[in-house]
Amino acid sequence: VLSAGYYDAYYRKAQQVRALIARDFKEAFTRCDVLLTPTAPTAAFAAGDKMDDPVTMYLNDMFTIPASMAGLPGISVPAGLDKDGLPLGLQIIGRAFDEETMLRAAAALEKAAAFKARPAGY
């Protein structure tokens, strides 16, 4: 895709999209210090599950992709268990080069939640 004939069609367009995503995050951070989002659209699945379903695996990562594309720090903290006892997570996204604020927010959230549950079998 990075060959000369495809540079404009793919790479340049991807860079433009990435810039738009970064701009949207920058605008959001004019109104807050960190963003809190789900880490994934579903509870975690067991190790080894879904290996034959790459689309499901990709879609389960979809909430973490925008921060990565924008070059922003993010961390997932435990938030609870679903009805089947599988872990749920919350993602905290910080400003570029402001990992300290993001980590302080994660620590405060973990302390306030006092989350101690463990998935079955662990």
Side-chain angles (χ1 to χ4, degrees):
V1 175
L2 294 180
S3 64
Y6 293 101
Y7 183 85
D8 286 333
Y10 295 103
Y11 186 74
R12 188 177 310 246
K13 183 60 82 175
Q15 290 296 81
Q16 290 169 341
V17 170
R18 183 178 184 186
L20 291 173
I21 291 169
R23 186 186 70 199
D24 287 347
F25 274 111
K26 188 173 182 176
E27 170 60 28
F29 284 123
T30 65
R31 298 184 303 274
C32 63
D33 294 322
V34 297
L35 296 170
L36 182 64
T37 72
T39 301
T42 65
F45 40 84
D49 279 3
K50 313 290 185 198
M51 294 299 292
D52 59 342
D53 189 356
V55 172
T56 297
M57 291 181 69
Y58 172 79
L59 291 175
N60 211 51
D61 291 337
M62 66 190 253
F63 293 162
T64 62
I65 294 170
S68 295
M69 288 183 68
L72 299 176
I75 188 171
S76 179
V77 296
L81 301 174
D82 74 356
K83 63 180 174 53
D84 296 321
L86 296 171
L88 301 167
L90 289 173
Q91 175 184 214
I92 299 171
I93 302 170
R95 289 183 178 97
F97 304 107
D98 190 16
E99 288 85 352
E100 182 180 352
T101 299
M102 179 203 64
L103 290 169
R104 282 198 327 258
L109 183 62
E110 284 185 339
K111 183 177 180 180
F115 182 75
K116 303 282 188 246
R118 297 277 186 253
Y122 290 92

